[in-house]
Amino acid sequence: MTLRPPRDDDFDAMLELMNAHQLAAYGEADVTADELRTWLTSPSVDVQRDIRVLEQDERLVGYVDVDPTKTDPPLWWCVVQFAPDADADSTAAELVGWLEERVDAGRLRVWSSATDTRFLAAMDRLGFALARHSYRMEIDLAEAQEPTLPAGLSVRTLADGEERRVYDAVIEVWRDTSDPNDETFEEWSHWVMREGTFDPSLWLLALEGEELAGFSICSKDVNDPSAGHVDLLGVRRAWRRRGLGEALLLRSFQAFRDRGWTRGTLGVDASSPTGATRLYERAGMRVYRTTVFLERPVRG
């Protein structure tokens, strides 16, 4: 087996490998070419430094990357994936071994489906332990309730030049989550404003006067043409506990229905300290996928 940085001509094989992992783990091959291309061109990523592919008999059988937070010591978000027919233990050991060479302090975090017993067992043998869960949730939009906005608040879509204002609010709100967002505006906008997914008419902003109270940043679900996806939803502290989060969620579903979509989706930390999971359940959403996050200290 050969571990090396990816080449330009590896793109299709990398995408095939990632989707083979996703299909085996989740039952869906849901990594798009646009998503992979966006990751490889992210301002924070140096492909030669941060990514490796594992090749065996001229075929890619494993993939690993790192994306550190700016905390001290850092939490390293690490994608570790391998082909369903590869030997899980030897492949995982090669990939995690490179992680140990690449990083020097902090914690490693990997993840996969809660039902991916092959991956979970291999990671357990390498010393990774359960840290938390996240959910993918969905709703049949025919079942969605009508929104009721708290008194004194209004909702409108994004105006030209407001992107940084929304970014500042996202960073502020995410300080109260399990994983505060430390992306720069350049990094953040690279993902949420990328060509093909950025739709300012699906950025819903709640205001009290001129003050931005909350936001729901949505897009068309890239894997389901009949669905809208809530990418980021949050309420600033001064406007919480007034029903604004639920109102923004239901307004998002209303916007999806107006486009003729029949399904709404989102992702959420299962143990969200802001109570997001309970909010989504009250709105009629249900879990359709569970992801587990495993962590281990860097051994250096």
Side-chain angles (χ1 to χ4, degrees):
M1 291 191 286
T2 303
L3 194 65
R4 59 171 174 80
R7 303 185 298 258
D8 289 344
D9 62 358
D10 286 324
F11 185 89
D12 290 343
M14 289 166 63
L15 186 62
E16 181 180 355
L17 171 64
M18 290 175 172
N19 274 318
H21 173 94
Q22 292 295 97
L23 186 61
Y26 294 103
E28 295 180 284
D30 59 1
V31 182
T32 67
D34 176 68
E35 182 181 7
L36 177 56
R37 194 172 294 111
T38 301
W39 165 243
L40 295 175
T41 58
S42 174
S44 64
V45 174
D46 181 327
V47 171
Q48 296 298 306
R49 179 193 65 196
D50 299 329
I51 301 175
R52 291 292 182 270
V53 292
L54 188 63
E55 187 175 40
Q56 185 176 32
D57 299 327
E58 300 184 346
R59 170 177 170 246
L60 297 191
V61 296
Y63 170 93
V64 60
D65 67 34
V66 292
D67 186 20
T69 61
K70 296 178 177 64
T71 57
D72 185 21
L75 170 64
W76 299 82
W77 290 79
C78 310
V79 174
V80 174
Q81 297 179 325
F82 38 82
D85 59 347
D87 181 78
D89 285 329
S90 61
T91 305
E94 287 280 347
L95 300 175
V96 173
W98 175 78
L99 290 176
E100 291 287 3
E101 295 175 3
R102 167 68 181 85
V103 308
D104 56 8
R107 290 173 294 144
L108 303 174
R109 173 179 285 178
V110 301
W111 62 92
S112 191
S113 167
T115 61
D116 189 358
T117 55
R118 186 166 164 267
F119 178 92
L120 300 181
M123 292 299 133
D124 178 69
R125 285 189 281 271
L126 290 170
F128 285 84
L130 178 66
R132 63 180 181 85
H133 298 74
S134 72
Y135 297 142
R136 288 279 187 92
M137 303 184 75
E138 66 181 350
I139 187 172
D140 180 342
L141 294 176
E143 302 171 0
Q145 309 158 38
E146 292 299 316
T148 301
L149 201 64
L153 293 164
S154 61
V155 174
R156 62 167 173 79
T157 57
L158 182 74
D160 289 341
E162 282 193 304
E163 294 87 357
R164 186 173 284 275
R165 182 189 188 193
V166 177
Y167 161 79
D168 289 340
V170 170
I171 295 300
E172 176 187 323
V173 168
W174 251 252
R175 291 186 190 126
D176 296 327
T177 69
S178 301
D179 293 303
N181 189 336
D182 60 8
E183 292 177 310
T184 64
F185 177 73
E186 182 184 20
E187 293 166 338
W188 182 81
S189 60
H190 178 77
W191 284 95
V192 301
M193 295 167 58
R194 67 187 187 271
E195 185 177 355
T197 61
F198 175 50
D199 182 350
S201 70
L202 285 175
W203 286 39
L204 306 181
L205 309 184
L207 297 106
E208 185 167 42
E210 294 302 314
E211 284 289 319
L212 178 59
F215 52 84
S216 180
I217 301 174
C218 306
S219 60
K220 188 172 185 176
D221 191 308
V222 296
N223 295 297
D224 183 352
S226 67
H229 186 74
V230 180
D231 301 312
L232 296 166
L233 187 148
V235 175
R236 298 174 67 196
R237 285 184 181 179
W239 288 273
R240 291 176 189 167
R241 301 186 183 280
R242 295 169 57 183
L244 179 55
E246 185 172 0
L248 279 168
L249 181 65
L250 297 177
R251 276 291 184 99
S252 303
F253 295 159
Q254 188 177 63
F256 297 166
R257 284 199 304 268
D258 290 345
R259 284 163 172 74
W261 301 337
T262 58
R263 180 171 172 254
T265 63
L266 53 74
V268 61
D269 176 4
S271 56
S272 169
T274 62
T277 305
R278 294 189 298 275
L279 184 157
Y280 302 149
E281 289 173 339
R282 287 199 305 271
M285 303 195 79
R286 53 196 167 267
V287 174
Y288 72 94
R289 175 192 289 189
T290 301
T291 293
V292 292
F293 295 83
L294 312 173
E295 293 184 12
R296 192 187 83 182
V298 173
R299 293 174 178 169

